[in-house]
């Protein structure tokens, strides 16, 4: 078996379907099915069984896929070791980034990094900060919001204020407000926002709706559907003449959300990680 075969098996297990694996790996479904059959013929055992919805891993499949995961991790460790002794910045750079940062800040940083170091293979995952914290040691660098990781070196990049944002219309001033919330895993953030509304009874809420992405929340707000609480990083392009931007405060203190850059000492030794750290530190020094 080749390393691509190991990745194929791990991906099929993770996604549970041939179609999902094909989309993830950018390989046709017939090609994946054919290669899976060849791998199963090689082991002379079924690694997956099909039900009406997805593929289930057999007991033999579990052992083979565990072996595949071990080989993939060994390859990653070897690539990291080779990067340490190389005179050039290459190898792989694995990043896990909060969706908010990935949407509004990361593209510019990655553009600069890739221009400077085109030989580095960048691996990127974006998602909720808590999901990243649960697997944070699987990545060279992570950028998360809210609480920092207690087990890694963490640098505070910035803290941005929270704003209540609403489109300015005469009609909006005469009715109760619909609040559009974006999905967040930070319970303290929601608690602070709820407390702010309690202390500001002049702003009456009719009800709340929740969406999965901050940009969806922002777009609904910009079309007059309702108001939203957004971080400063997400409202840089909004015209104050068209939108009401109210900074949230409690006891005369602005409500903010910190953003952290986290990494291990071992990762810091890699040239490609050092290069990324230099770019991001210069940007947020």
């Amino acid at each position: 078996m080749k390393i691509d075969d190991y990745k194929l098996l791990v991906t099929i297990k993770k996604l549970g379907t041939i179609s999902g694996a094909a989309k993830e790996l950018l390989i046709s479904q017939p090609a994946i099915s054919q290669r899976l059959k060849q791998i199963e013929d090689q082991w002379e055992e079924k690694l997956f069984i099909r039900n009406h919805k997805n593929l289930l891993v057999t007991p033999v499949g579990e052992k083979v896929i565990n072996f595949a995961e071990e080989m993939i991790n060994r390859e990653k460790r070897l690539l990291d070791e080779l990067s340490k002794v190389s005179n050039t910045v290459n190898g792989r750079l694995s990043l896990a980034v909060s969706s908010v940062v990935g949407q509004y800040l990361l593209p510019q940083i990655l553009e600069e990094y890739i221009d400077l170091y085109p030989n580095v293979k960048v691996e990127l995952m974006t998602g909720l900060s808590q999901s990243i914290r649960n697997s944070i040691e699987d990545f060279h660098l992570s950028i998360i919001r809210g609480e920092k990781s207690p087990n890694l070196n963490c640098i505070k990049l910035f803290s941005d204020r929270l704003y209540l944002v609403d489109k300015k219309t005469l009609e909006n001033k005469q009715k109760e407000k619909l609040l559009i919330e974006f999905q967040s895993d930070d319970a303290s953030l929601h608690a602070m926002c709820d407390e702010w509304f309690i202390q500001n009874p002049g702003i009456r809420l009719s009800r709340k709706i929740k969406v999965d992405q901050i940009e969806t929340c922002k777009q609904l707000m910009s079309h007059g559907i309702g108001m939203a609480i957004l971080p400063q990083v997400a409202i840089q392009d909004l015209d104050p003449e068209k939108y009401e931007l109210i900074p949230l405060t409690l006891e005369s203190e602005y409500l903010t959300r910190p953003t952290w850059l986290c990494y291990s000492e071992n990762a810091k030794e890699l040239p490609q990680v050092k290069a990324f750290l230099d770019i991001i530190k210069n940007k947020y020094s």
Side-chain angles (χ1 to χ4, degrees), residues 34-173:
Q34 181 181 11
R35 186 55 192 146
L36 177 58
K37 183 180 184 306
Q38 292 171 346
I39 294 171
E40 290 180 328
D41 289 344
Q42 177 184 342
W43 290 99
E44 299 182 346
E45 292 281 356
K46 283 287 185 183
L47 306 184
F48 297 92
I49 56 175
R50 186 187 301 273
N51 64 16
H52 65 287
K53 287 186 177 180
N54 52 17
L55 296 174
L56 303 176
V57 185
T58 67
V60 172
E62 288 285 359
K63 292 184 178 295
V64 173
I65 293 171
N66 287 341
F67 174 75
E69 290 172 335
E70 179 183 344
M71 295 302 296
I72 291 170
N73 289 330
R74 286 179 64 182
E75 184 199 45
K76 289 180 179 178
R77 290 194 296 269
L78 175 60
L79 290 172
D80 287 347
E81 290 298 322
L82 294 176
S83 295
K84 290 180 183 179
V85 298
S86 174
N87 292 324
T88 59
V89 178
N90 52 29
R92 69 182 188 97
L93 175 69
S94 60
L95 302 171
V97 180
S98 157
S99 295
V100 176
V101 176
Q103 200 158 30
Y104 296 105
L105 301 176
L106 186 65
Q108 181 181 356
I109 297 170
L110 271 186
E111 180 183 26
E112 180 179 351
Y113 183 83
I114 292 171
D115 284 345
L116 290 172
Y117 310 107
N119 294 324
V120 176
K121 178 183 177 183
V122 177
E123 300 173 357
L124 173 64
M125 186 198 81
T126 62
L128 295 176
S129 293
Q130 186 55 50
S131 299
I132 294 173
R133 289 188 194 93
N134 292 338
S135 57
I136 200 165
E137 294 182 358
D138 294 339
F139 304 94
H140 291 139
L141 291 160
S142 299
I143 303 178
I144 55 177
R145 289 168 65 80
E147 296 180 7
K148 64 181 180 180
S149 172
N151 302 320
L152 298 175
N153 297 322
C154 292
I155 301 170
K156 182 187 285 189
L157 297 180
F158 59 90
S159 286
D160 52 338
R161 297 175 183 174
L162 299 175
Y163 287 79
L164 181 67
V165 186
D166 197 10
K167 194 171 185 179
K168 290 182 178 179
T169 65
L170 180 61
E171 191 178 71
N172 274 350
K173 293 179 180 298

Side-chain angles (χ1 to χ4, degrees), residues 19-30:
S19 60
K23 185 176 180 181
E24 176 92 357
L25 298 172
L26 302 178
I27 304 173
S28 70
Q29 293 185 44

Side-chain angles (χ1 to χ4, degrees), residues 207-226:
R207 60 192 178 93
K208 296 181 181 180
I209 61 173
K210 185 165 291 194
V211 297
D212 62 342
Q213 293 289 335
I214 191 170
E215 187 61 26
T216 306
C217 176
K218 181 179 174 183
Q219 289 298 322
L220 290 174
M221 179 279 302
S222 68
H223 283 79
I225 308 301

